């Protein structure tokens, strides 16, 4: 009987611990729900949720995980402004060390202009100033921004939904722009004039990439021309040898049989008839192609675009888009 109070106290302690564990799990679950765990992700296309934007940003090439420090740098300068992130590469198809992104703070929206004091303050800490125009049409989604956990939930839930929406409809929507505004995170993917959303550093990298690709193509063309030249030389030598052999054969056989001529004549007539038949076939194909072209305008362009989209599986960055933006 002396051990009875001790046993009761042990059970009470275990019960108290169990209650605390349950309360802790319920608190974590409620925190996750409040952060957007069960929030439905709705992706749509239409007018953007924001207008033109003037931002102070820093550009980086590397893993997207390094963007957190840049967000912290911008927030330390001015905590009242909204954050923005622009991601140019698909991390599923581009190696992390080659991903390109710009992180910063929104200085002004629409017709408003940022103050000179704000600009000087951000430039003092290495930020650049750039303006994004109002996109005409975008693919967009939003997610609650109530806790730091909301960011991780949004990244893991919204981006896959955007990928599916864009791929199913074979759209060209890039770059990915994240705007952290009040209690929402807006995900915006422009559908037109994507080059307008390339910061100067990104445009410079695109120019260098195109120049390197063109130089490589030129080198390949030169090498191919040299190979063709060598092949032509070999062909000429072979032709010369065959002609010499033919001449020697003619000398050795001064009286060639007439069957060879007849066969040659027959082959000529047969070839002519075949070429005529082939010509009519090509004409029919041309007519069918023309008819298809008239009946379904733009079909070939759509099919080609769909194939290129599936190959790139994109966020796609398009160097041509950047060029158009500059022009």
């Amino acid at each position: 009987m002396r051990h009875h109070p001790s046993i009761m106290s042990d059970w009470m302690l275990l019960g108290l611990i169990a209650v605390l564990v349950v309360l802790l799990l319920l608190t974590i679950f409620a925190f996750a729900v409040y952060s957007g765990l069960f929030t439905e992700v709705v992706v749509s296309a239409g007018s953007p949720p924001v207008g033109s934007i003037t931002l102070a940003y820093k550009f980086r090439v590397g893993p997207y995980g390094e963007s957190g420090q840049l967000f912290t740098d911008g927030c330390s300068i001015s905590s009242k402004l909204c954050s923005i992130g622009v991601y140019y590469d698909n991390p599923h198809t581009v190696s992390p060390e080659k991903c390109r992104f710009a992180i910063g703070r929104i200085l002004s929206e629409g017709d408003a202009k940022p103050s000179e004091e704000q600009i000087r303050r951000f430039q003092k800490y290495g930020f650049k100033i750039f303006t994004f125009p109002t996109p005409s049409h975008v693919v967009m989604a939003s997610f609650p921004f109530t806790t730091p956990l909301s960011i991780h939930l949004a990244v893991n839930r919204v981006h896959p939904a955007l990928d599916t929406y864009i791929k199913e409809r074979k759209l060209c929507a890039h770059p990915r722009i994240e705007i952290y505004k009040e209690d929402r995170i807006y995900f915006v993917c422009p559908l037109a004039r994507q080059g307008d959303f390339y910061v100067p550093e990104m445009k410079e990298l695109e120019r260098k990439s195109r120049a390197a690709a063109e130089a490589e193509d030129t080198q390949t063309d030169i090498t191919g021309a040299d190979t063709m030249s060598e092949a032509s030389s070999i062909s000429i030598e072979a032709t010369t040898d065959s002609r010499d052999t033919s001449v020697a054969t003619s000398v050795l056989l001064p009286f060639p049989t007439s069957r060879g001529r007849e066969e040659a004549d027959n082959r000529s007539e047969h070839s002519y008839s075949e070429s005529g038949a082939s010509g009519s076939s090509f004409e029919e194909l041309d007519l069918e192609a023309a008819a298809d072209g008239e009946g379904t305008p733009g079909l070939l362009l759509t099919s080609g675009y769909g194939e290129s989209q599936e190959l790139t599986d994109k966020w796609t960055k398009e160097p041509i888009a950047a060029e158009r933006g500059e022009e």
Side-chain angles (χ1 to χ4, degrees):
M1 297 295 293
R2 294 178 181 178
H3 299 286
H4 183 69
S6 177
I7 295 174
M8 292 294 293
S9 62
D10 290 343
W11 279 108
M12 290 179 62
L13 181 60
L14 290 176
L16 181 61
I17 292 174
V19 171
L20 292 176
V21 170
V22 171
L23 290 176
L24 178 62
L25 293 176
L26 289 175
T27 302
I28 294 174
F29 180 74
F31 180 77
V33 172
Y34 179 68
S35 300
L37 179 63
F38 295 115
T39 300
E40 181 183 3
V41 177
V42 179
V43 181
S44 62
S47 301
V50 295
S52 60
I53 292 173
T54 299
L55 66 152
Y57 72 93
K58 285 185 177 180
F59 181 80
R60 288 290 185 274
V61 178
Y64 285 155
E66 297 178 356
S67 62
Q69 183 58 48
L70 299 183
F71 278 113
T72 302
D73 293 344
C75 186
S76 62
I77 298 174
S78 178
S79 59
K80 295 181 180 181
L81 299 176
C82 300
S83 295
I84 183 171
V86 187
Y87 303 91
Y88 295 101
D89 297 296
N90 187 343
H92 299 296
T93 57
V94 178
S95 57
E97 63 274 8
K98 294 182 179 179
C99 289
R100 299 163 293 184
F101 57 97
I103 306 296
R105 307 285 280 180
I106 298 176
L107 302 181
S108 64
E109 296 182 44
D111 297 331
K113 293 184 178 181
S115 65
E116 293 296 329
E117 181 183 356
Q118 281 183 329
I119 294 176
R120 284 195 300 267
R121 189 188 310 164
F122 278 94
Q123 288 178 337
K124 177 182 177 181
Y125 292 96
F127 284 79
K128 305 290 182 62
I129 309 300
F130 194 70
T131 299
F132 290 161
T134 303
S136 56
H137 294 84
V138 299
V139 174
M140 57 188 171
S142 65
F143 199 83
F145 183 34
T146 53
T147 69
L149 180 61
S150 300
I151 300 174
H152 300 283
L153 293 174
V155 169
N156 292 316
R157 296 190 59 202
V158 177
H159 285 296
L162 289 171
D163 292 337
T164 301
Y165 185 93
I166 292 171
K167 187 175 181 180
E168 287 180 349
R169 290 159 178 78
K170 298 180 180 179
L171 301 174
C172 179
H174 68 92
R176 295 283 172 91
I177 302 175
E178 298 177 3
I179 299 174
Y180 299 79
K181 191 174 183 181
E182 297 178 354
D183 60 346
R184 304 291 294 181
I185 305 174
Y186 295 94
F187 296 80
V188 179
C189 309
L191 286 168
R193 298 186 61 85
Q194 289 92 348
D196 291 344
F197 303 91
Y198 281 44
V199 296
E201 294 87 345
M202 181 63 184
K203 292 180 181 179
E204 183 62 25
L205 288 178
E206 288 292 306
R207 277 195 292 265
K208 290 180 180 179
S209 177
R210 286 195 300 275
E214 290 173 358
E216 184 177 354
D217 291 342
T218 302
Q219 184 64 30
T220 302
D221 293 341
I222 294 174
T223 305
D226 293 341
T227 304
M228 289 295 293
S229 178
E230 293 176 1
S232 300
S233 300
I234 295 173
S235 176
I236 291 172
E237 292 176 0
T239 304
T240 304
D241 292 341
S242 64
R243 287 179 179 174
D244 293 342
T245 304
S246 300
V247 172
T249 305
S250 300
V251 172
L252 291 175
L253 299 174
F255 302 105
T257 59
S258 60
R259 185 178 67 179
R261 292 181 182 177
E262 292 175 357
E263 290 178 353
D265 292 340
N266 290 335
R267 283 196 299 268
S268 297
E269 292 177 359
H270 188 60
S271 299
Y272 183 80
S273 63
E274 284 182 345
S275 64
S278 299
S280 62
S281 299
F282 280 119
E283 289 174 1
E284 291 173 1
L285 290 174
D286 291 338
L287 289 174
E288 290 176 0
D292 292 341
E294 293 175 0
T296 55
L299 180 60
L300 181 61
L301 179 61
T302 304
S303 301
Y305 174 75
E307 292 175 357
S308 65
Q309 258 324 89
E310 293 177 359
L311 288 174
T312 54
D313 192 22
K314 230 281 179 216
W315 290 6
T316 281
K317 67 180 187 301
E318 290 185 351
I320 297 176
E323 269 184 342
R324 286 199 299 266
E326 291 177 357
E327 294 176 357

